[in-house]
């Protein structure tokens, strides 16, 4: 039963907090008041009851860590760096995703047990919807850096915590997660945590800037600051430009600084660099000697002298042919995204595919990549882009299954100012226009609505796109790579996919082999272990290697990467033993791999229905069928997070049809 009254105003909230919890002795800010109001009225939480921080199971956590692999790789140095500087003072450092799920946690050794009991551990959920007002959940809800100190927490169980948190945004300005520093039993004076918050914000911006540099590693990027100002990492302004001097990307500080300087009809991406700094890209490259020295110039927009430091990828300074001669150990970016040769490994089928790809790679032939989930379709697409003559151009990815159907059109084609209510007042460039001069990667193309297939078919034929609200077409020069795990021929037979669109996309079909069928598992295991950023070589015992060879790998390469990271974290003396592997992999009956998959969709649905035991499970199953197992759309329909969907699927033994063996 909910004991909390209906609180209509902020004064009601303050009165409730101080009147019923006098021992809290707090003067809540407007941010805390709003959060309490959401916790009580929107989420129906009762502060009189005990809270329960939800922890994912080992299997669910492994799936989430696998999904968040790129984000974790980018953020790990920031998380570790912050922990080194504040853990001795009793602080725990936590990284979460945009839903408040803890992805990484560095805990002080002396307080490890207390921190874990408080929910500061990997796999814990800290959204406001789950545990009310708290540092992580409230930061994500407000999208701003905050301190939630002791009794400001909604539930009394968290009142021993003091949390300093900053949000993390990706290079497109989308909320990606947050960075949090928490301590147990801090001083009652909240102001004592302000310095901690500044450190958290600094490392949060470092993570965002790493995200930016990773996204635009093949572009010329520049760091800009006023000449007379002291270097402030939090305010570092980063821009990425193409070879024509057009701005193609910016970090959060640059958006905040420069977007307001432009006319209302002009966006920062798409503007010329000389509009901001008063110098063309050729002038900047000449004055900086190819990025070797800092350039000082007067900015007509900022009305002050600025310093510009350029970073020029070596591929910009050398010929395109030199790029293919690089060794994979030359840079972190190279290691993060393997080449076609590395992806082929020692598997004869994959090696033959690479030879065929290299013959047609610059012939303006579209590629269609098929294969099970986790076989590396996006990695192959990126490798094709890097090996082509378009390697200096942008690589723009669009997941057709992850974007609501109502937004796919604007994401693809963009829109002009004033097209519809609530849109960006300056309009927005679509993915097709952003990919001009480079590659557009259409992932999960089988989920594209059929009416959009018709429009995109014309775009691919005419090489022109018309943004929503525009009257004139825009010419585009793009390489098209699409991918799907679905059988498009079956979708064509069901009138769910246009046959002419299929043939427009399928210039060269690339079917990626399943991991269980590959003949070079040892090569793959060794290659992945060498790229885990470990200081020493990692060995794998014969028993552990035998288990890795025998497992049927329904999640393919992506699952193997997650498994090896998990095993490496548990290993001692840099040696992976069988007990370091996840329990579900060790205990799985290897004979399941030999069973034939159920081909008939009707029989699949019967099989799945037999797994479900009550109305909630049946409703979940019907929703999964309705959205063709798209977890993002299911979570939106049921108003629950993705991790909860996976948890309920596990609870009711619901297995996706193509994962039944």
């Amino acid at each position: 039963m909910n004991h909390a009254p209906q609180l209509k105003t902020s004064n009601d909230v303050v009165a409730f907090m101080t009147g019923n919890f006098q021992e809290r002795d707090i003067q809540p800010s407007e941010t805390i008041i709003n959060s309490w109001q959401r916790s009580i009225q929107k989420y129906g939480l009762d502060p009189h009851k005990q809270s329960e921080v939800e922890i994912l199971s080992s299997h669910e956590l492994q799936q989430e860590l696998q999904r968040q692999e790129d984000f974790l790789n980018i953020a790990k140095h920031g998380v570790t760096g912050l922990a080194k500087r504040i853990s001795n003072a009793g602080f725990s450092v936590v990284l979460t995703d945009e839903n408040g799920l803890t992805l990484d946690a560095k805990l002080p050794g002396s307080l490890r047990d207390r921190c874990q009991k408080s929910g500061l551990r990997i796999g814990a959920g800290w959204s406001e919807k789950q545990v009310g007002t708290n540092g992580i959940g409230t930061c994500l809800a407000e999208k701003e850096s905050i301190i939630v100190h002791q009794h400001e927490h909604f539930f009394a169980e968290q009142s021993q915590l003091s949390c300093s948190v900053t949000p993390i945004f990706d290079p497109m300005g989308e909320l990606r997660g947050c960075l949090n520093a928490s301590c147990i039993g801090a001083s009652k004076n909240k102001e004592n945590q302000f310095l901690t918050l500044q450190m958290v914000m600094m490392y949060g911006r470092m993570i965002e800037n790493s995200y930016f540099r990773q996204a635009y590693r093949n572009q010329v990027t520049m760091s800009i600051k006023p000449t007379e100002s002291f270097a402030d990492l939090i305010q570092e302004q980063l821009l990425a430009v193409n070879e024509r001097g057009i701005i193609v990307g910016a970090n959060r500080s640059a958006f905040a600084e420069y977007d307001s300087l432009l006319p209302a009809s002009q966006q920062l991406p798409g503007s010329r660099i000389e509009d901001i700094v008063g110098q063309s890209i050729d002038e900047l490259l000449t004055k900086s000697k190819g990025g070797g020295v800092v350039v000082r110039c007067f900015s007509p927009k900022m009305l002050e002298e600025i310093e510009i430091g350029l970073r020029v990828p070596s591929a910009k300074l050398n010929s395109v042919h030199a790029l293919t001669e690089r060794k994979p150990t030359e840079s972190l970016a190279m290691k993060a995204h393997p080449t076609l040769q590395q992806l082929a490994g020692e598997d004869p089928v994959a090696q033959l595919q690479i030879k065929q790809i290299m013959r047609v790679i610059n012939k303006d032939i579209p590629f269609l990549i098929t294969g099970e989930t986790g076989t590396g379709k996006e990695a192959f697409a990126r490798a094709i882009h890097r090996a082509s003559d378009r390697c200096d151009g942008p690589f723009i990815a669009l997941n057709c299954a992850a974007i609501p159907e109502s937004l796919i059109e604007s994401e693809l084609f963009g829109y002009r100012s004033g097209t519809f209510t609530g849109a960006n007042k300056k309009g927005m460039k679509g993915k097709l226009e952003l990919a001009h001069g480079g590659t557009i990667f259409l992932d999960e193309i089988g989920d594209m609505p059929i009416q959009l297939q018709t429009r995109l078919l014309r775009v691919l034929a005419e090489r022109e796109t018309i943004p929503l609200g525009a009257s004139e077409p825009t010419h585009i020069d793009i390489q098209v790579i699409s991918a799907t795990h679905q059988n498009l021929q079956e979708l064509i037979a069901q009138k769910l996919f246009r046959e002419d669109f299929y043939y427009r996309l399928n210039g060269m079909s690339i079917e990626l082999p399943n991991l269980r069928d590959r003949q070079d598992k040892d090569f793959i295991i060794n290659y992945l272990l060498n790229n885990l950023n470990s200081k020493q070589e990692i060995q794998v015992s014969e028993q552990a290697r035998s288990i890795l060879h025998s497992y049927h790998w329904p999640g393919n390469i992506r699952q193997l990467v997650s498994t090896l990271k998990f095993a490496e974290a548990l290993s001692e003396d840099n040696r992976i033993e069988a007990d370091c592997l996840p329990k579900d992999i060790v205990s799985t009956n290897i004979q399941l791999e030999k069973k034939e998959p159920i081909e008939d969709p009707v029989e699949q649905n019967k099989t799945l229905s037999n797994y479900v035991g009550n109305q909630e499970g049946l409703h979940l199953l019907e929703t999964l069928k309705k959205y063709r197992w798209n977890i993002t759309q299911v979570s939106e329909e049921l108003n629950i997070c993705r991790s909860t969907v996976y948890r309920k699927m596990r609870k009711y033994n619901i297995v996706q049809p193509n994962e039944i063996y």
Side-chain angles (χ1 to χ4, degrees):
M1 180 179 179
N2 192 333
H3 299 287
Q6 291 297 308
L7 310 177
K8 297 181 179 180
T9 68
S10 60
N11 289 334
D12 293 337
V13 178
V14 175
F16 178 78
M17 293 169 67
T18 56
N20 291 273
F21 299 95
Q22 295 178 1
E23 71 279 4
R24 298 199 176 204
D25 189 26
I26 58 174
Q27 295 181 336
S29 65
E30 183 178 355
T31 297
I32 299 299
I33 292 171
N34 291 339
S35 176
W36 270 68
Q37 195 162 15
R38 286 193 300 269
S39 301
I40 294 171
Q41 293 188 296
K42 184 176 181 179
Y43 304 126
L45 300 177
D46 184 351
H48 294 92
K49 294 182 178 180
Q50 284 191 337
S51 67
E52 181 179 349
V53 178
E54 193 172 355
I55 309 293
L56 294 187
S57 68
S58 175
H59 177 71
E60 293 167 333
L61 177 59
Q62 189 177 349
Q63 286 184 318
E64 286 300 315
L65 293 179
Q66 177 179 309
R67 190 172 68 88
Q68 301 283 357
E69 179 185 355
D70 289 343
F71 181 42
L72 283 167
N73 283 336
I74 290 170
K76 62 185 175 183
H77 295 299
V79 174
T80 302
L82 178 60
K84 285 181 178 179
R85 284 155 181 80
I86 65 176
S87 61
N88 288 339
F91 282 88
S92 301
V93 176
V94 167
L95 177 76
T96 79
D97 68 4
E98 69 276 14
N99 298 314
L101 176 68
T102 303
L103 302 175
D104 195 4
K106 306 295 183 185
L107 310 179
S110 59
L111 298 173
R112 181 176 295 273
D113 291 341
R114 288 186 64 188
C115 290
Q116 290 185 336
K117 289 179 181 178
S118 299
L120 299 175
R121 54 185 296 184
I122 297 177
W126 284 96
S127 69
E128 271 193 346
K129 184 177 182 180
Q130 292 173 291
V131 290
T133 304
N134 71 91
I136 291 170
T138 304
C139 169
L140 294 173
E142 297 287 343
K143 298 184 179 180
E144 64 180 24
S145 300
I146 62 169
I147 298 172
V148 176
H149 188 63
Q150 295 182 341
H151 292 294
E152 290 177 338
H153 287 81
F154 188 79
F155 286 109
E157 287 86 347
Q158 278 92 51
S159 62
Q160 77 277 18
L161 294 173
S162 182
C163 306
S164 301
V165 201
T166 191
I168 296 173
F169 294 86
D170 68 15
M172 300 303 292
E174 296 296 326
L175 183 65
R176 196 65 183 83
C178 71
L179 183 65
N180 167 55
S182 295
C183 63
I184 298 176
S187 165
K188 290 186 178 181
N189 191 346
K190 181 177 179 178
E191 284 73 18
N192 290 342
Q193 303 303 314
F194 286 174
L195 180 58
T196 303
L197 179 61
Q198 294 304 310
M199 291 190 66
V200 172
M201 290 170 62
M202 181 179 73
Y203 277 94
R205 297 302 80 75
M206 287 175 61
I207 292 172
E208 287 183 345
N209 291 347
S210 295
Y211 220 141
F212 171 90
R213 290 189 172 97
Q214 173 69 8
Y216 299 107
R217 63 194 176 279
N218 293 324
Q219 300 287 341
V220 174
T221 58
M222 54 188 69
S223 173
I224 306 173
K225 70 179 184 69
T227 303
E228 302 301 327
S229 71
F230 181 77
D232 185 348
L233 184 61
I234 293 180
Q235 298 300 325
E236 183 181 16
Q237 296 149 20
L238 301 175
L239 294 174
V241 298
N242 63 19
E243 65 277 4
R244 298 183 299 278
I246 304 299
I247 298 172
V248 295
N251 72 344
R252 187 152 47 123
S253 295
F255 270 113
E257 180 70 24
Y258 304 129
D259 204 40
S260 60
L261 301 178
L262 298 171
S265 60
Q266 187 176 350
Q267 285 184 297
L268 187 60
S271 300
R272 298 179 303 168
I273 189 61
E274 53 260 47
D275 291 342
I276 300 296
V277 303
Q279 302 279 321
S280 70
I281 185 61
D282 291 336
E283 290 173 319
L284 290 172
L285 288 171
T286 300
K287 291 180 179 180
S288 68
K289 298 180 180 179
V293 297
V294 172
V295 177
R296 290 193 175 196
C297 61
F298 181 80
S299 169
K301 289 289 185 180
M302 302 169 66
L303 299 178
E304 61 181 337
E305 190 177 43
I306 58 175
E307 289 185 352
I308 305 174
L310 277 78
R311 174 192 167 276
V312 183
S314 56
K316 297 286 184 181
L317 301 175
N318 302 314
S319 66
V320 173
H321 299 291
L323 181 66
T324 61
E325 297 173 358
R326 286 182 174 180
K327 296 181 180 179
T329 56
E330 283 185 286
S331 70
L332 290 176
M334 289 297 185
K335 293 180 73 174
H337 296 292
T339 65
L340 283 170
Q341 288 71 25
Q342 290 167 338
L343 289 170
E346 298 175 353
D347 184 76
V349 175
Q351 288 178 342
L352 177 60
Q353 288 178 330
I354 299 306
K355 290 180 180 179
Q356 294 173 340
I357 290 171
M358 295 306 296
R359 290 179 179 176
V360 302
I361 198 167
N362 294 314
K363 304 295 185 182
D364 194 26
I365 295 175
F367 294 94
L368 175 61
I369 305 175
T370 61
E372 290 185 0
T373 298
T375 48
K377 293 186 285 294
E378 182 170 351
F380 258 85
R382 288 186 179 276
I384 291 171
H385 171 74
R386 282 179 50 202
S388 73
D389 290 345
R390 297 174 177 269
C391 59
D392 291 342
F395 178 89
I396 303 296
L398 176 69
N399 190 322
C400 302
I403 299 176
E405 183 173 331
S406 59
L407 298 180
I408 290 182
E409 188 169 15
S410 61
E411 284 286 332
L412 265 176
F413 304 107
Y415 55 85
R416 294 296 182 252
S417 175
T419 303
F420 49 84
T421 303
N424 189 314
K425 64 180 181 181
K426 296 184 179 181
M428 184 187 77
K429 285 188 176 182
K431 300 290 188 185
L432 290 167
E433 193 173 350
L434 289 173
H436 178 67
T439 300
I440 181 76
F441 174 54
L442 302 173
D443 197 10
E444 301 299 348
I445 190 67
D447 290 290
M448 176 172 284
I450 197 161
Q451 65 272 18
L452 276 186
Q453 296 174 24
T454 304
R455 186 171 176 189
L456 185 56
L457 176 64
R458 179 175 177 81
V459 170
L460 298 181
E462 304 294 334
R463 298 298 182 179
E464 290 182 343
T465 178
I466 302 179
L468 302 178
S471 57
E472 296 294 329
T474 300
H475 172 72
I476 55 173
D477 173 25
I478 55 174
Q479 167 70 58
V480 179
I481 304 177
S482 51
T484 183
H485 69 279
Q486 302 186 66
N487 188 323
L488 295 184
Q489 294 286 3
E490 290 184 0
L491 294 182
I492 291 172
Q494 298 168 19
K495 305 299 183 182
L496 298 175
F497 202 86
R498 289 183 61 110
E499 187 172 12
D500 50 358
F501 185 49
Y502 169 78
Y503 290 119
R504 175 67 66 176
L505 296 174
N506 190 16
M508 176 179 180
S509 180
I510 306 169
E511 183 176 0
L512 301 186
N514 307 321
L515 176 57
R516 58 184 170 274
D517 295 331
R518 288 192 62 151
Q519 301 178 27
D520 59 347
K521 291 189 181 68
D522 273 326
F523 172 88
I524 296 173
I525 292 169
N526 294 336
Y527 175 81
L528 294 175
L529 286 174
N530 288 334
N531 285 270
L532 284 179
N533 198 35
S534 180
K535 296 180 180 179
Q536 299 183 23
E537 184 178 355
I538 303 170
Q539 301 294 328
V540 183
S541 71
E542 291 186 10
Q543 183 182 11
R545 194 174 288 272
S546 176
I547 293 172
L548 293 174
H549 274 270
S550 301
Y551 188 63
H552 60 286
W553 299 111
N556 291 291
I557 301 291
R558 188 184 297 128
Q559 185 185 9
L560 176 59
V561 171
S562 178
T563 297
L564 292 176
K565 285 188 175 183
F566 179 85
E568 191 266 346
L570 295 184
S571 65
E572 296 182 1
D573 299 324
N574 295 300
R575 182 175 174 82
I576 295 176
E577 301 288 350
D579 57 3
C580 298
L581 300 175
K583 292 182 179 179
D584 56 331
I585 289 180
V586 176
S587 61
T588 295
N589 184 350
I590 301 174
Q591 294 304 315
L592 287 175
E593 182 184 359
K594 299 180 180 179
K595 294 185 179 180
E596 293 294 332
I598 300 173
E599 298 291 347
D600 187 350
V602 176
E603 292 301 319
Q604 285 182 334
N605 289 337
K606 288 180 180 178
T607 305
L608 292 171
S609 299
N610 291 336
Y611 292 159
V612 182
N614 66 16
Q615 286 301 116
E616 182 184 46
L618 288 170
H619 180 54
L620 174 61
L621 178 59
E622 290 304 314
T623 309
L624 287 164
K625 293 177 186 176
K626 175 182 175 182
Y627 290 104
R628 297 163 62 190
W629 300 87
N630 185 308
I631 302 300
T632 299
Q633 292 181 338
V634 171
S635 68
E636 292 174 354
E637 171 76 13
L638 300 179
N639 195 26
I640 57 178
C641 63
R642 286 169 52 95
S643 59
T644 302
V645 175
Y646 284 119
R647 185 165 50 257
K648 290 184 181 294
M649 288 173 63
R650 185 175 178 84
K651 177 180 178 181
Y652 297 113
N653 294 320
I654 298 176
V655 183
Q656 190 168 345
N658 64 5
E659 293 183 359
I660 298 178
Y661 290 88

